[in-house]
């Protein structure tokens, strides 16, 4: 269960505001298609532009959160999101809608960057990320249930995102201010990235993982309406139930925490998602479509929460968390357009097979990174372990250099005492003057 007193709720709120646009992608793109003089491919391109702008914010601001301050950047991002999405929701001029969506996307990306950076510095980043996914899934489900009853305007989902940003604004007062670049934390944040190979592999594979997910998610509305035969209200209900199932998945992920490690949830979960995508994309009946969407949305946030935690474990300052998240946003951004093009060329069922095959391919290196980083020592010569929260994340809150404080917890392997035969020292020798010990009494090397 998520502990109320230890969950950083201001961060969860900022996380929710930043992640809401991708969750509302199907209804946003679908309403741009039906409410404005845009084709399905053009509407998908607008959705891609929104998410590409969001990803660019992460790449630009990944190393600047400590210096500028989480509070300042969060307020800046929320203001851009409110103004951009709000303006796009109030006009029917296509250029103005596109400009507002791009501006709002940059604001959402800024909010996501702040949340990812601060979550990586939490004592338990997995708890914080699962709480954020729980919050955004619940809010998106409420929007999917409400919006169909308010009309067919293209601006309704955009207005929902803008109002969320406005509601989160007052909570940013509890976020830390900037350091001005003079603190040890700010100087550390500008140092070289640790675990570059693992981080680069994770960023590339997560980009492809998100591309596959959102290629389907971006056209799910059209699959439900045109291929599975659902009406608009029924489709909204399916999405709401699917996101509700996602809430259960997030709760399960939060309850399990690091008990299963990260490799099995990432690898096996991605393989199961591939099967769900095939079912959903090839569905020709409401039942089959609902089954695929609900199963898929149950698994997706579970795997995503472990990927967020995996990225956070690579760097206590949150830079890999932001960069991997931005790479994910790039995949998310390309998703609507890629899904539209694939479905136009190969049909929805063919698109599903292509996406599933791609997911199975990227599952292998993602699992390898989870195995490699889950078993690395926190200090040279310390005990290896799998799962759990890296000690470096605990150190981040106090400015301790990354990797300098080992974590003590249930996730560590039990310590086994080994008797070493060595000549006994005289009792008096324990109180002798300081100096080198005899070679026979020197301790052996620690465990690698």
């Amino acid at each position: 269960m998520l502990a109320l007193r230890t969950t950083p709720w201001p961060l969860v709120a900022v996380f929710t505001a930043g992640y809401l646009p991708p969750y509302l992608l199907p209804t946003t793109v679908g309403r741009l298609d039906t409410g404005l003089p845009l084709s399905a491919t053009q509407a998908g391109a607008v959705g891609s532009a929104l998410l590409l702008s969001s990803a660019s914010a992460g790449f630009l601001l990944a190393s600047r959160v400590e210096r500028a301050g989480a509070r300042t950047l969060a307020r800046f991002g929320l203001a851009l999101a409110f103004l951009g999405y709000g303006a796009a929701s109030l006009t029917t001029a296509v250029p103005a809608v596109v400009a507002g969506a791009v501006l709002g996307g940059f604001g959402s990306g800024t909010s996501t960057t702040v949340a990812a950076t601060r979550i990586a510095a939490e004592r338990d980043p997995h708890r914080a990320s699962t709480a954020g996914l729980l919050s955004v899934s619940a809010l998106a489900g409420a929007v999917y249930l409400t919006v169909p009853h308010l009309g067919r305007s293209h601006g309704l989902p955009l207005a929902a995102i803008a109002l969320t940003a406005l509601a989160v604004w007052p909570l940013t007062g509890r976020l830390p201010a900037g350091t001005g670049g003079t603190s040890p934390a700010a100087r550390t944040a500008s140092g070289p990235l640790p675990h570059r190979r693992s981080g680069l592999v994770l960023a590339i594979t997560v980009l492809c993982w998100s591309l596959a997910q959102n290629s389907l998610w971006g056209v799910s509305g059209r699959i439900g309406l045109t291929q599975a035969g659902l009406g608009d209200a029924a489709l909204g209900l399916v999405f709401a139930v699917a996101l509700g199932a996602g809430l259960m998945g997030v709760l399960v992920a939060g309850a399990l925490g690091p008990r299963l490690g990260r490799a099995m949830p990432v690898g096996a979960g991605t393989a199961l998602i591939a099967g769900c995508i095939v079912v959903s994309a090839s569905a020709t009946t409401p039942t089959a479509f609902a089954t695929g969407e609900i199963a898929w949305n149950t698994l997706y946030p579970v795997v995503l929460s472990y990927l967020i935690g995996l990225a956070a474990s690579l760097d206590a300052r949150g830079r890999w968390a932001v960069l991997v998240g931005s790479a994910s946003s790039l995949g998310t951004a390309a998703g609507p357009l890629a899904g539209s093009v694939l479905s136009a060329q190969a049909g929805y069922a063919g698109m599903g097979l292509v996406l599933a095959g791609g997911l199975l391919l990227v599952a292998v290196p993602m699992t390898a990174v989870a195995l490699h980083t889950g078993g690395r020592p926190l200090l040279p010569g310390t005990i290896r372990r799998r799962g759990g929260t890296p000690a470096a994340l605990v150190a981040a809150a106090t400015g301790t250099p990354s990797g300098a404080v080992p974590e003590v917890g249930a996730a560590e392997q039990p310590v086994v005492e080994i008797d070493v035969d060595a000549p006994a020292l005289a009792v008096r020798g324990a109180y002798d003057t300081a100096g080198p010990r005899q070679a026979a009494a020197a301790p052996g090397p620690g465990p690698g």
Side-chain angles (χ1 to χ4, degrees):
M1 296 298 291
L2 298 176
L4 293 177
R5 286 184 291 181
T6 59
T7 301
W9 291 112
L11 280 182
V12 171
V14 174
F15 181 101
T16 301
Y19 263 78
L20 187 59
Y23 270 70
L24 296 182
L25 192 63
T27 187
T28 301
V29 171
R31 284 172 176 265
L32 289 174
D33 179 12
T34 59
L36 296 176
L38 295 171
S39 67
T41 302
Q42 289 171 333
V46 175
S48 293
L50 184 160
L51 297 173
L52 183 62
S53 178
S54 180
S56 67
F59 286 117
L60 289 173
L61 302 174
S63 61
R64 293 176 170 82
V65 176
E66 287 273 1
R67 190 175 298 108
R71 184 190 309 162
T72 301
L73 277 182
R75 287 177 172 176
F76 173 71
L78 293 171
L80 288 184
F82 174 71
L83 293 174
Y85 294 124
S89 69
L90 296 175
T91 181
T92 57
V94 173
V97 171
V98 174
V102 170
L103 181 65
F106 193 88
S108 296
T110 302
S111 301
T112 302
T113 299
V114 172
T117 303
R118 297 303 306 170
I119 284 174
E122 288 293 313
R123 184 180 183 88
D124 189 346
H126 188 263
R127 181 189 300 277
S129 62
T130 51
L133 291 171
L134 187 69
S135 174
V136 71
S137 296
L139 180 57
V143 172
Y144 276 115
L145 283 175
T146 304
V147 162
H149 301 287
L150 299 179
R152 293 294 305 164
S153 170
H154 78 281
L156 288 173
L158 296 171
I161 302 171
L163 292 176
T164 300
L166 181 63
V168 169
W169 174 278
L171 300 177
T172 58
R174 298 178 61 185
L175 297 177
T179 60
T182 59
S183 71
R187 290 193 295 269
T188 302
S190 62
L193 279 169
H195 311 294
R196 292 190 176 186
R197 182 181 302 174
S198 295
L200 183 60
V201 171
L202 185 63
I204 293 172
T205 53
V206 167
L207 186 155
C208 298
W209 187 86
S210 295
L211 173 64
Q213 309 287 333
N214 287 279
S215 293
L216 177 64
W217 189 235
V219 299
S220 285
R222 298 205 295 273
I223 294 175
L225 292 171
T226 63
Q227 182 172 280
L230 281 80
D232 191 53
L235 182 65
L237 179 62
V238 168
F239 285 149
V241 173
L243 291 173
L247 296 179
M248 297 305 299
V250 172
L251 287 174
V252 170
L256 287 175
R259 291 181 180 87
L260 299 178
R262 295 191 186 100
M264 190 175 79
V266 168
T270 298
L272 290 174
I273 286 173
C276 295
I277 285 179
V278 172
V279 172
S280 185
S282 61
T284 57
T285 64
T287 301
F289 178 77
T291 300
E293 291 288 318
I294 291 170
W296 173 37
N297 280 278
T298 302
L299 294 168
Y300 168 80
V302 175
V303 179
L304 180 60
S305 70
Y306 282 96
L307 288 173
I308 293 172
L310 178 58
S313 73
L314 297 178
D315 177 28
R317 297 301 172 192
R319 289 169 294 177
W320 274 124
V322 174
L323 293 174
V324 170
S326 298
S328 174
S329 296
L330 282 178
T332 301
L337 185 58
S340 298
V341 172
L342 275 175
S343 60
Q345 297 296 321
Y348 293 126
M351 178 197 68
L353 291 174
V354 172
L355 297 179
L359 280 177
L360 293 177
L361 286 177
V362 302
V364 177
M366 284 198 305
T367 305
V369 171
L371 286 170
H372 174 68
T373 59
R376 62 181 171 84
L378 299 178
L379 285 167
T382 56
I383 301 169
R384 293 178 179 268
R385 67 177 196 168
R386 296 195 181 276
T389 305
L393 301 184
V394 182
T398 58
T400 307
S402 175
V405 182
E407 177 181 319
V408 179
E412 292 180 311
Q413 299 292 339
V415 178
V416 179
E417 295 184 1
I418 302 175
D419 295 326
V420 179
D421 293 329
L425 294 176
V427 175
R428 181 90 178 157
Y431 305 94
D432 206 348
T433 57
R437 294 187 180 185
Q438 298 176 5

